[in-house]
Amino acid sequence: MKLRSVGKLPAILVCLLALAAAGPVMAQGTTQPAQGTTQSATQPEQKATPAQPAQTATQPAGKAAAPAQDGAQPADKGAAPGGATPGAATQPAATAVQPAQTATPPAGEAVPEDATPPAQSQAADQLSKAAEDLKRLTDLVDKAKDDDIVLADIKVQVDALAKQIIGVSVSTRPRLDEIKGRLTELGDPPAEGQPPEADIVTAERKRLMAERGAINALTGEAEGLSIQATKLSNTITATRRALFSNTLLKNTEVSTGMFDDALTATADETRVLSRSVGSWLSFAWNYKRVPLLTALFLSLLAALVFLAGSRRLFRPLIQHDITDEEPSYFRRLSVAFWSTLIPTIASAAFAISSFLFLRGFNVLRSDIAPIIAITLGVAVVVFFVTRLAQAVLSPRDARWRLVRVSDRGARMLMIAIFAMALVNGLDYLFGGVSEALGSPVVLTVVKSYIASIVIGLIIMASAWIKPTLRKDESFDAHGRAWPRLVSFALLATGALLIIAAVSGYVGLARFIATQIIITGAILVTMYIGILTGRAVAKQGAFAETAAGRYLERRYNLEQVALDQIGLAAGLSIYALVVMVFIPLILLQWGFQVADIESWAYRMVTEIRIGSITISLVGILAGVLFFALGFAVTRFVQRWIDGNIMARSRVDAGVRNSIRTGIGYTGVGLACLIGLSAAGIDLSNLALVAGALSLGVGFGLQNIVSNFVSGLILLVERPFKVGDWIVSGTTEGFVKRISVRATEIETFQHQSIMMPNSLLINASVGNWTHRNKLGRSEIAVTVTYASDPRRIMELLSEIAAAHPMVLKNPSPTVGFTAFGDERMTFELRIYVADVLTGGGVRNDLRVSIYERFRDERIGEPFPVKIEDVPVEDQTGIESHHPEEVGEPKGATSAEARASAKATASGKPAASAAPLNEEREAEETGSRRTASRRANPNR
């Protein structure tokens, strides 16, 4: 069977070892505490003494005032069962009940006899149970001083118990605060010589003081139990630290007798192993043949699904592209990372499923299960290290090599790494077999001794490999020696392992060898993963990957979207590296799964920064609730706008106001729900409100003014989205009304953000406020030679003939002014949509020009009248009287220029070009002045 089909994940070793440890030995160990627990449960009177003071101390709170003294006495006795609590913790209980003793005698007749408050009774029961659990855990710690795994589990239970005790103490504080407030309202008892107070007041005060004493007793007991739990947790931590140190630094005398004993134990272990495996196979084949064959078939099916399926599914990520002559560094990193991680996870899943199938069908015996588990685990670890070395060194294809070493050097390094991983794996495999069969410890020591020396020799031999290359050398070159620093480090490390093993520190040598191989492989994989994530997150890098090309082709994504997906992919790779490989490193350094689970729980639930506690889970829940609320708000907005208001034919402006109001309300509610889910006390927002009010008074008043103005605009609706408004020098269409400002788009398509307060405080003209009906005017000037009535009749006919001019109100014509040489008329029309007025006016001007031209009427537009000197006028009149006058269709300036040219004997020149130039200049000047006065036009 080839090595690559074995498995893929170093974490499986720990998992399977834990499963193996859960065999009959652990089963016996776990049943003993259970028996001890049942024994303690049969004697509640003897072990419940720490909780008795709390229970008896709470009785005066509900009974009559007469027995208040009796209720206070157990609080003093609460210090007696202090075998479970420190003496200092019992003092508050005793002192807190003294006021109840002094106030007891006169209260016997006024206070009714009630039962103990349920909250105090429940708290007392919880503390009683916590005291029993704490004593049970203390006994377990004494029994499991040499088992690090059991101690880690006990520490987690102790920490949880300490939190529970603190929670019980905290739960009594609200009631205690209420009692203090009520006592403050009642005041102090009257002094001597003062009139006595009412009996009901005295009885109420005594009852409250008795209840306060009972609560103080519970609080004192809780503090004592909390101190005990903290001490026990610290004791477990110190014990585990000492156990780890003793395991590593324990010195074993290396002698000839040790090897003789090891040889004898090896022979015995071989016979026992052969007999156990043979008997198990015979028993399984004869009596459990169907379950065995079923488990094997399911295991092969799992291998087909996980190993072959992952290779087929992730082929682009894990296989080298033969057609790629020069793969990029990013491509090489990506293939190296995924070709290590994905097959390792697949093989680990295959190993776990195979073990679970064999165990689920009751095929494995209690002595065989640990051997199968450690065998599968070692196979996965060796496969992981070998796969990583192949991905980094790529001894068969230099194009995909991540480090610049020669072909021969890559092959030699590959052999050395595989040899070290195999030797270290066999060491753990043989050690697990010896532990499962109950072989002498000396056999395990000798195996680790030999493995450490062999690994040390391999490391020292690696110092003489010549793998390095110059930049100008090809991969098939002979190679050069390591740099001196690297060679010295390899020699020193190998020598350290050998010296530690020979000196008797076999555990330390084995630990160092394991960290060099396993932890080194994990660190290298982490480094490759981090580089891969960084490369994917670079701009434009994700588009070059197979996934990026597929997404671009499938969904027509642009470069910006691909870069955003690449950034998310890079962050995901970072998170994967941290969540997978950091726990593996911690496991390699002696931490247990329970420790990692406890740290992870604390990290996501309670990160303490001073007196502030941050919960990542709470923050995530708050973000999810806010996102959910935001999505629901948007859905409600679209549903109401598209189904209710659209069918009701509601005006677009009203729809926008309703939609905006729903959005503000929904987002506000989503914020409140998100803050509550995140664990933020909304009452603390009063401080934020105070700070905001102070900021409003200084610098935020404009922002608040704009916000309130925006709400007024949405409710009052002086204008709405789509309206044509004029405010000061700004004129255009309303595009959006937001919280702070209103977006106005001018006729030049310029967007202007106008603060809402300006639109509230200033006058605003709205052309389309109630409807879009509007009036337009067209000024027409003609000479005095024209008939005014005929002009008015023609203008009325032209307006009536246009289809977009309303008949009601009907168009009108006004004779508005007399000019020097012109008469001015004004055509007034009404259109249904004022926005179309410009086009209608343009059509009417063209029609007026064409109709007046056909009627041979003077120009219907204003003309610049120039003054002529008197002598010129006299000459014109005396010499050429026939030229005086204005021909139809000609301007006065043209007539004067023609007459002047005739008098001087020169050919007449048209004055139109000169007038056109002057009019162009004057028109340009007027437009410039108009733009300066109104920059938005």
Side-chain angles (χ1 to χ4, degrees):
M1 184 177 181
K2 294 184 180 180
L3 180 62
R4 65 180 64 182
S5 61
V6 177
K8 308 173 182 174
L9 183 63
I12 190 62
L13 176 59
V14 179
C15 298
L16 295 181
L17 286 177
L19 291 173
V25 177
M26 290 301 300
Q28 295 174 3
T30 53
T31 53
Q32 292 177 359
Q35 295 174 359
T37 305
T38 53
Q39 293 175 0
S40 61
T42 57
Q43 299 176 357
E45 291 80 2
Q46 298 178 1
K47 295 188 178 182
T49 54
Q52 291 176 1
Q55 297 174 353
T56 55
T58 57
Q59 294 175 1
K63 291 186 177 182
Q69 185 175 1
D70 299 335
Q73 292 175 359
D76 296 335
K77 296 177 182 179
T85 58
T90 59
Q91 291 179 2
T95 57
V97 187
Q98 291 177 1
Q101 296 175 358
T102 58
T104 299
E109 301 175 358
V111 180
E113 293 186 1
D114 296 329
T116 303
Q120 298 181 23
S121 177
Q122 183 180 4
D125 295 340
Q126 291 177 353
L127 290 180
S128 176
K129 185 177 182 304
E132 295 178 359
D133 293 340
L134 189 61
K135 189 175 186 307
R136 176 179 59 82
L137 294 175
T138 304
D139 297 337
L140 289 178
V141 170
D142 295 336
K143 297 177 181 178
K145 288 184 178 180
D146 297 333
D147 194 336
D148 185 68
I149 298 177
V150 176
L151 289 177
D153 294 335
I154 295 175
K155 186 178 185 303
V156 173
Q157 299 179 30
V158 172
D159 293 339
L161 184 61
K163 291 181 181 179
Q164 179 183 354
I165 294 172
I166 295 176
V168 172
S169 177
V170 171
S171 64
T172 60
R173 291 179 184 176
R175 178 56 183 167
L176 187 61
D177 293 338
E178 293 179 3
I179 294 174
K180 291 180 180 179
R182 181 58 179 163
L183 289 175
T184 302
E185 294 176 357
L186 295 178
D188 298 332
E192 293 186 19
Q194 294 182 353
E197 60 184 1
D199 293 340
I200 189 171
V201 175
T202 303
E204 177 70 9
R205 181 184 295 106
K206 292 179 179 179
R207 185 184 67 82
L208 292 174
M209 294 179 68
E211 186 176 356
R212 183 179 67 178
I215 293 177
N216 288 334
L218 289 175
T219 303
E221 183 179 359
E223 291 178 356
L225 292 176
S226 177
I227 293 173
Q228 287 187 14
T230 303
K231 290 182 178 180
L232 181 59
S233 178
N234 295 336
T235 301
I236 294 175
T237 301
T239 303
R240 294 183 60 197
R241 187 180 297 112
L243 184 62
F244 181 75
S245 301
N246 294 335
T247 302
L248 293 182
L249 301 179
K250 182 179 180 181
N251 186 273
T252 302
E253 183 179 358
V254 179
S255 61
T256 307
M258 181 185 70
F259 290 99
D260 294 339
D261 296 339
L263 289 175
T264 304
T266 301
D268 296 338
E269 182 182 279
T270 303
R271 289 192 297 270
V272 173
L273 178 62
S274 176
R275 184 170 58 252
S276 299
V277 173
S279 62
W280 169 67
L281 291 176
S282 176
F283 174 80
W285 182 257
N286 293 328
Y287 299 99
K288 292 189 175 183
R289 182 178 305 176
V290 175
L292 177 62
L293 295 178
T294 304
L296 293 177
F297 172 75
L298 292 178
S299 299
L300 295 176
L301 186 62
L304 179 64
V305 172
F306 290 114
L307 300 179
S310 64
R311 180 177 295 275
R312 183 177 181 83
L313 183 62
F314 300 100
R315 183 185 301 272
L317 295 177
I318 64 178
Q319 279 194 350
H320 296 170
D321 188 0
I322 303 176
T323 61
D324 195 350
E325 295 295 336
E326 294 183 2
S328 62
Y329 186 69
F330 163 69
R331 176 64 177 160
R332 286 181 287 162
L333 276 175
S334 177
V335 171
F337 179 70
W338 296 115
S339 64
T340 301
L341 187 63
I342 293 177
T344 301
I345 294 177
S347 62
F350 160 68
I352 294 175
S353 60
S354 299
F355 182 82
L356 292 179
F357 287 144
L358 293 173
R359 188 163 190 150
F361 285 95
N362 294 324
V363 176
L364 296 179
R365 269 187 349 210
S366 58
D367 57 338
I368 300 298
I371 299 176
I372 300 296
I374 193 66
T375 302
L376 294 174
V378 167
V380 171
V381 172
V382 173
F383 177 82
F384 164 66
V385 176
T386 306
R387 188 75 183 184
L388 176 62
Q390 288 179 347
V392 174
L393 297 175
S394 185
R396 297 181 181 179
D397 193 349
R399 296 175 302 169
W400 297 88
R401 196 169 297 162
L402 292 180
V403 292
R404 186 170 177 78
V405 295
S406 63
D407 294 339
R408 182 176 180 275
R411 290 191 295 269
M412 296 298 294
L413 289 175
M414 181 69 197
I415 294 173
I417 293 172
F418 173 74
M420 288 189 294
L422 182 61
V423 171
N424 187 257
L426 292 176
D427 178 24
Y428 277 91
L429 175 61
F430 294 152
V433 171
S434 300
E435 183 178 358
L437 298 179
S439 301
V441 180
V442 65
L443 182 58
T444 303
V445 172
V446 171
K447 294 176 183 177
S448 300
Y449 176 85
I450 297 174
S452 300
I453 292 179
V454 172
I455 293 175
L457 293 175
I458 294 174
I459 294 176
M460 294 180 67
S462 300
W464 280 278
I465 298 177
K466 298 179 179 181
T468 60
L469 293 173
R470 290 180 179 178
K471 293 183 178 181
D472 56 346
E473 292 181 336
S474 60
F475 289 104
D476 56 356
H478 183 69
R480 299 178 180 275
W482 293 106
R484 293 184 179 180
L485 183 61
V486 177
S487 298
F488 177 77
L490 292 174
L491 291 174
T493 304
L496 178 63
L497 285 178
I498 296 174
I499 292 173
V502 173
S503 301
Y505 295 99
V506 180
L508 178 62
R510 185 189 192 191
F511 178 78
I512 295 175
T514 303
Q515 304 316 311
I516 291 174
I517 299 171
I518 308 301
T519 305
I522 295 174
L523 290 176
V524 171
T525 308
M526 286 184 63
Y527 182 68
I528 296 175
I530 292 173
L531 291 180
T532 303
R534 183 186 302 176
V536 170
K538 287 184 178 180
Q539 187 174 3
F542 184 75
E544 300 177 359
T545 62
R549 290 191 294 268
Y550 171 77
L551 292 176
E552 182 180 8
R553 183 177 61 257
R554 178 67 175 81
Y555 300 102
N556 296 323
L557 297 180
E558 297 181 355
Q559 184 65 36
V560 176
L562 293 175
D563 289 340
Q564 293 175 350
I565 297 176
L567 179 60
L571 295 177
S572 301
I573 293 176
Y574 289 156
L576 178 65
V577 169
V578 171
M579 290 189 297
V580 172
F581 294 106
I582 293 297
L584 293 179
I585 293 177
L586 294 177
L587 290 174
Q588 292 297 319
W589 283 82
F591 297 97
Q592 301 298 328
V593 177
D595 297 328
I596 299 174
E597 291 177 351
S598 176
W599 293 340
Y601 178 78
R602 292 180 181 178
M603 185 177 298
V604 299
T605 56
E606 49 178 18
I607 300 176
R608 295 187 178 273
I609 303 176
S611 59
I612 301 176
T613 302
I614 301 175
S615 174
L616 297 181
V617 173
I619 294 175
L620 180 60
V623 172
L624 292 178
F625 275 105
F626 175 77
L628 180 62
F630 186 81
V632 171
T633 300
R634 289 292 179 262
F635 172 76
V636 172
Q637 281 182 306
R638 289 192 298 268
W639 185 80
I640 292 178
D641 183 64
N643 293 273
I644 297 179
M645 293 188 291
R647 297 180 182 180
S648 303
R649 297 182 180 179
V650 181
D651 184 72
V654 178
R655 293 169 62 180
N656 177 74
S657 299
I658 296 176
R659 185 170 59 250
T660 305
I662 294 174
Y664 289 160
T665 304
V667 172
L669 292 176
C671 287
L672 293 178
I673 295 174
L675 292 175
S676 301
I680 299 176
D681 189 3
L682 297 181
S683 61
N684 295 331
L685 295 180
L687 300 176
V688 180
L692 287 178
S693 61
L694 183 62
V696 168
F698 285 99
L700 299 179
Q701 53 183 350
N702 291 332
I703 297 177
V704 175
S705 176
N706 291 326
F707 175 75
V708 176
S709 300
L711 297 180
I712 294 174
L713 292 176
L714 290 174
V715 175
E716 186 179 347
R717 298 180 61 249
F719 54 82
K720 54 189 178 297
V721 174
D723 282 358
W724 175 9
I725 66 172
V726 181
S727 177
T729 59
T730 302
E731 181 178 3
F733 299 100
V734 178
K735 289 299 182 181
R736 188 170 64 93
I737 303 175
S738 62
V739 176
R740 189 193 66 84
T742 297
E743 180 183 351
I744 300 175
E745 185 181 274
T746 64
F747 300 112
Q748 291 79 21
H749 290 278
Q750 179 188 19
S751 295
I752 298 177
M753 303 299 172
M754 180 170 289
N756 293 327
S757 59
L758 296 181
L759 297 173
I760 289 293
N761 299 325
S763 60
V764 179
N766 191 345
W767 285 93
T768 57
H769 180 49
R770 301 188 184 279
N771 52 56
K772 293 185 178 182
L773 178 67
R775 193 185 81 173
S776 295
E777 299 85 11
I778 301 176
V780 180
T781 61
V782 295
T783 63
Y784 285 104
S786 303
D787 183 6
R789 297 186 184 278
R790 179 58 178 167
I791 296 298
M792 297 174 65
E793 182 181 351
L794 290 175
L795 292 177
S796 298
E797 292 177 0
I798 292 171
H802 199 284
M804 297 185 68
V805 176
L806 296 179
K807 302 300 186 290
N808 185 20
S810 61
T812 61
V813 180
F815 191 165
T816 59
F818 291 97
D820 293 338
E821 296 183 1
R822 299 283 170 173
M823 297 180 293
T824 302
F825 297 85
E826 188 177 65
L827 175 60
R828 306 181 184 95
I829 61 171
Y830 291 89
V831 292
D833 189 352
V834 70
L835 301 179
T836 63
V840 174
R841 288 193 298 269
N842 184 72
D843 296 340
L844 290 176
R845 289 190 185 100
V846 174
S847 300
I848 291 171
Y849 176 80
E850 294 175 348
R851 186 68 177 273
F852 278 25
R853 184 188 58 188
D854 297 339
E855 296 285 340
R856 302 185 67 81
I857 300 175
E859 307 81 6
F861 48 84
V863 178
K864 177 74 173 178
I865 305 298
E866 297 182 356
D867 295 332
V868 181
V870 179
E871 58 272 11
D872 293 343
Q873 295 179 5
T874 304
I876 294 174
E877 292 176 358
S878 59
H879 296 286
H880 302 281
E882 70 276 10
E883 296 295 333
V884 178
E886 181 179 329
K888 293 183 180 180
T891 64
S892 299
E894 291 173 349
R896 295 190 185 98
S898 176
K900 187 175 180 181
T902 304
S904 60
K906 297 180 180 179
S910 176
L914 179 60
N915 292 335
E916 290 179 359
E917 293 178 1
R918 290 179 180 178
E919 287 184 5
E921 293 177 358
E922 293 175 358
T923 303
S925 301
R926 288 196 300 268
R927 289 179 179 175
T928 303
S930 176
R931 289 175 181 172
R932 291 176 180 175
N934 187 2
N936 298 319
R937 295 296 300 271

